[in-house]
Amino acid sequence: MLRVESLSFQRGQVPILEKVSLELEAGEVLMVRGENGCGKTTLIRLLAGLIPAQPDFKVFLDDQPYHPQQVQTRLQFMYLGHALGIKDELTCLENLEFIARFLGGRSDISPLGSLQSCGLDGYQYTQARRLSAGQRKRLSLARFLLCPARIWLLDEPYSNLDAEGLTLVDRLLQKHINEGGGALITSHGTFIPQVTNHREMILEVA
Amino acid sequence: MQGHSLATAAFALLSRDLRLAFRRRGEALSPILFLLMVATLFPLGLSPDPEQLAAIAPGVIWVAALLSSLLALNQMFHADLRDGTLEQLIISPWPLPVMALVKVLAHWIISGLPLTVVAPVLGLGYGLDGATVKIMFWSLLLGTPTLSFIGAIGVALSVGLHRGGMFLALLVLPLFVPVLIFATAGISASAEGFAVGSHLYLLGALLALAVSTAPFAIAAGLRISIS
Amino acid sequence: MNKLTLWFHKLGSPEYFYRFAGRWAPWAGWSFALLTVIGLYLGMFKAPPDYQQGESYRIIFIHVPSAWMSMFIYVAMSAAGFVGLVWRIKVAEIMAMASAPIGAAFTLVTLVTGAFWGKPMWGAYWVWDARLTSELILLFIYLGIIGLYQAIEDRRTAARAASLLALVGLVNIPIIHFSVEWWTTLHQGSTVNLMGESSMHPSMLWPLLIMAVATKLYYVMNVLQRARNMILELESNKSWAKTVLQPAEASR
């Protein structure tokens, strides 16, 4: 459903991405692997529309040219970056309630329900700044259960998590692809996602 | 999707920002304390002569209010950039200028509104008469939101920078000049018994211009800064 | 596409622009030098002394063209910045950023020559006159734009941010000018009218006009040279730029 055709990107003089092509099908997890500095984050941020596209930006969503800044496009994906997008001074529940009200949540799950699914039961009234790094990641992942987006763009979802957290990510991904969604995820490690349908691609340093 | 509308989203953002400010109320109060301190230092530095104080009051109080709102601006987008909520705001389906408008509104309620209430009280302390203090209140009510809007453009452009704070002053203070002039001229005119309508209308016109154009500049600035 | 739009498209290519600027900058430079010599000669030696201000008025042949340029360059910079922001044309961004320091320099020259002129005329180097004050604020705005451009690391992001600031300033400058004028009339009565209502004598007007053209040519020369350097820096890993920088090595 998402197709990238020979995407290049450079920052100033430095080429970050050199003719990257990939295709993400519905119902699969595509793991982009590569060492530090190979442009994984840039790729994800470009697709999320956080970095303005350069003229030769050839990305297609369902075979239509992809404009990351259009409302219709933006409703289709969710993004997890290095900064997790949660407010420290708000409680876990308040964070998720805000997301649900701001983006329009799914009717089949409540903020509290998603919190419980992500193993944060009992933390709903705890301010996010009191959470450990792994728990914060879980809180940020709970956002993904709340919103009906087809495409997930996850930058390093497995980092900072304990064994239970890793299976949590796998569980979320599995549920997402079962529902016909697709996920583009990155990792600099060797971790292999335990889901039914997953592919890998290696990103070389440009 | 339940309650999935722009108004719901805007209201959710506004109430979140206000709740955050309440949780960090110490930080939110510091601009007001700054205003009080500066306004206290001036009589100490000049003289306690009531006539002289009344003459400088509009200028001193407005300049202090202006610097204090500059101080408050630093809190506007920095935390959002650090914790990633700014990225989430930018890629949300909602039009960024509208969200920028909401952010500025929240910021004004937190910093500009208290200023509007406190500064006229200082005017009484400087020996201004009741009618003039009322004009001071109106000038602040119409002027401080404009400062927030102009300031937000500067913050949006400099939010990623290391020494953003000092820099912000250079970016936005020249643009604050018209507000300062119209506001203080209005208060002075009132103190001297002249009509003040035109001054306040001009402040209102500046506010209208700021509300209708600044959100677009803020949105463009944020997009540039985040990339 | 007609010829003109085609030419503009070609001008958007950094390599073509580099050659184009290299061809025209010397012409602008030499005509600037020629016109300045003529203009200053006519202004300093041929024009009669002013019946009120004596010889000291002659500074207007530098002061007034500089003041015009300080505003002209701002508008040119904003226009280039707008084109750069909307169509993301690298050359336009570069032109905008190459203009800023020149504009700031002309603004500074205006302020300094104004101060020298103010001393004999008003008895003070600085008075809070509307024009002086708005010129000073213009200088601050220029410095803000240059500062923002320098502070952001990525050159293109920096150019886009500074261009946006320039456009915000463009909206504000007329308002600032109006407010400052209003402020001075409120506080000190009408100020000395520099140029007067009366028309100028041709022997004074001609040198002034010549100098106005000369300063524009100076701007053209300077902005093209600056833009050439900035383009080379931005494109230094492209093959054409390598050829320019090290002709022998690239051909080997």
Side-chain angles (χ1 to χ4, degrees), chain A residues 55-119:
Chain A
D56 54 350
F57 186 78
K58 278 197 229 106
V59 179
F60 300 90
L61 180 66
D62 301 328
D63 293 319
Q64 301 292 317
Y66 173 82
H67 300 288
Q69 301 195 348
Q70 271 180 2
V71 174
Q72 280 314 313
T73 313
R74 282 193 267 172
L75 281 168
Q76 310 254 8
F77 66 81
M78 282 195 77
Y79 161 79
L80 172 77
H82 290 277
L84 297 172
I86 49 180
K87 280 287 174 194
D88 278 353
E89 287 85 357
L90 297 182
T91 66
C92 295
L93 193 57
E94 283 169 339
N95 264 304
L96 292 181
E97 277 169 351
F98 167 71
I99 304 284
R101 283 169 66 204
F102 187 68
L103 294 175
R106 294 161 65 130
S107 48
D108 59 345
I109 190 163
S110 68
L112 187 59
S114 73
L115 202 62
Q116 285 161 343
S117 310
C118 290

Side-chain angles (χ1 to χ4, degrees), chain B residues 62 66 176-188 199 203, chain C residues 133 137 175-184 186-187:
Chain B
W62 247 97
L66 192 144
F176 281 179
V177 166
V179 175
L180 178 69
I181 288 177
F182 295 139
T184 52
I187 301 167
S188 303
H199 305 75
L203 282 177
Chain C
T133 312
I137 293 170
I175 302 174
I176 293 172
H177 188 78
F178 166 68
S179 69
V180 169
E181 214 151 82
W182 208 55
W183 164 70
T184 43
L186 279 177
H187 286 257

